[in-house]
Amino acid sequence: MTQKGGDYSASSIQALEGLEAVRRRPGMYIGSTDIKGLHHLVWEVVDNAIDEHLAGHCTHILVSILPDNSIKVEDNGRGIPVDMHEKLKKSALEVVMTVLHAGGKFDKDSYKVSGGLHGVGVSCVNALSSYVRAEVRREGKTYMQEYERGKPLHDVEMIGPANSRGTTIIFKPDFEIFETLEYHYDILAQRLRELSFLNSGLTIFLKDEREGKIKEETFFSEGGLREFVTFLDQGRTPITESVIYVTGKEENIDVEVAMQYNTGFQENVLAYVNNIFTRDGGTHVSGFRRALARVFKQYGDQTGMFAKLKMEISGEDFREGLTSVISVKVPEPQFKGQTKGELGNSEVVGVVSRIVGDALMAFLEQNPREARRIVDKVILAATARHAARKAREMVQRKNVLTGSGLPGKLADCSSRSAEESELFLVEGDSAGGTAKQGRNRAFQAILPLRGKILNVEKALEYKIYDNEEIKNMFTAMGVHIFEDEDGQRRLNTDKLRYHKIIIMCDADVDGSHITTLILTFFIRYMKEIIDKGHLYIARPPLYLLKRGKESKYAWDEEQRAAFTAELGKGKEDSVHIQRYKGLGEMNAEQLWETTMDPTRRILKQVFIEELATAGPRVTEDGYIYNDLFEILMGDDVPPRRKFIEDHAVYANIDI
Ligand code: 0RA
């Protein structure tokens, strides 16, 4: 009973100090205390269960969102040890739950590779939860301990027999720590689906037990990364029959790669280190790219397939229309870069390059018909890249020749300070006209875009430079594309003329679709603008409510109801409600008041969150979940319709 009666042992005091440090600076341990940090708690516990799976002891994990937004994670691993810890004189369970970084100490021999980005262990989850209950089933008995803000409420108790093995952790995130306490089923589902692809043979259940949200799913993948690639390529057309699949191990580094070419133009590579997504790639991705370039060059030269080609082939050409997933398991990963999203271990380059190179060469030699199709595609990519460069140079040179080079349709602002200047991209000439009248010309510029803009997802790059609207966007914004030393296409924003680029479209289904097309263009060709926080979406109001001389705008149903009651003062019938569908239904003054005036408008900033298995979504807070964008924009019409219907959130459209 070391915790009771004020009789703290030295070790308990140390544990408490450790957990106190976590509570004082939670960001240091779990990244943030927003919605991301909240979900991070789940990953910390799930990662421990996955380690059990990797060690060969766990086949099932059940994650439940309980009715009060607590989380329960149950696994059938070995169970956290409960025996007396010799030095600390308390149950190992208590040590794991209350001592920072204690989780792995018992387990030196096994190959522990999982662990979240921060890999801080369950004790952090404990420190940041107002209540935790840990239950362990081991050697026929069930043990249990509870905690409040990391402090044990009692010693570990044996509470009964057990006919299975494993661990169950229930935790309630602390309202004193987190800005938000509500779990999002979709965020959990996306990551758990991803984890099931990355850990084939592991079954993961997800269950939402909250009132009105009851839902459950099972994630299980037999084929692992092969199925992952097939999943990512839904809605695209493959050019080879099967997914190319490679596994191997060298220098204690496990390498697993799956890849398939499709008829599209995008490279889609997802890379993981110890189950952690590395958004900025790193040495594993370099090794993979190196293998691709080397093997295809060699194969093309051997077979004489590149003989006709007059131009040089760049690394990019081997990756056009390639979807791949790279997963490596590295004993001591080093993460680099600002967001730690890049693998740094240099020994990984050679290992991945050798393993992938050997397997790919064998595949090409054994499957000459498939190889031919891939090489043809590479040749096409090289040709198109040269055409695109020429087209780009034409557009950019013309710019220089015509003096100001600004498009005729642009109504520019008078300010020359990019920082205070705004560019509105407005759907349609008529709304463009209204916006020109309504704007503050000192710092607001208007560029009307005509009709449906080009779907860049389905057009070859050199074609997009023929498109008037797209050319206008480049020239109005003062940005241009160049190729860096690696031949990678990049955007030069040194001369960016506006720090806010605002997409302004109608609040209906068509407007929503046009917004999506413009966003797609930015994601594929001007991602830097989004990354630097310059891209916004305007939100026009949905209703104008009027009674007598009084009037009020409403942006959603809730406001409409509230304002109707407020204006009507008991007689709600007396309020006249006008539903705005298009920007054109407003006059210049109304458009200014509601949508353009910086002191009154609502703008949504656009961010990209690259979550591999995320659906195509622009959430209320402006996050674009990027990856299934192609389902949205690709050939497959029904899913696109379904997306627009499910997620038409730009302006709460009532379809
Ligand atoms: C420490 C040592 C061992 C397992 C674990 C912790 C463990 C932690 C969690 C958290 C959730 N589920 C878990 N399952 C296991 C090794 C166990 C052994 O050597 O018997």
Side-chain angles (χ1 to χ4, degrees), residues 44-46 48-50 52 73 75 77-81 96-97 102-107 122 138 166-169:
E44 233 18 270
V45 181
V46 167
N48 276 278
I50 294 211
E52 289 295 291
V73 180
D75 67 59
R78 281 168 295 185
I80 302 177
V96 167
M97 295 303 293
K105 281 188 188 158
F106 299 85
D107 206 11
V122 272
R138 254 178 103 101
T167 306
T168 304
I169 307 274

Side-chain angles (χ1 to χ4, degrees), residues 110 239 247 394 397 407 582:
S110 92
I239 67 163
T247 52
M394 285 277 283
R397 193 168 317 127

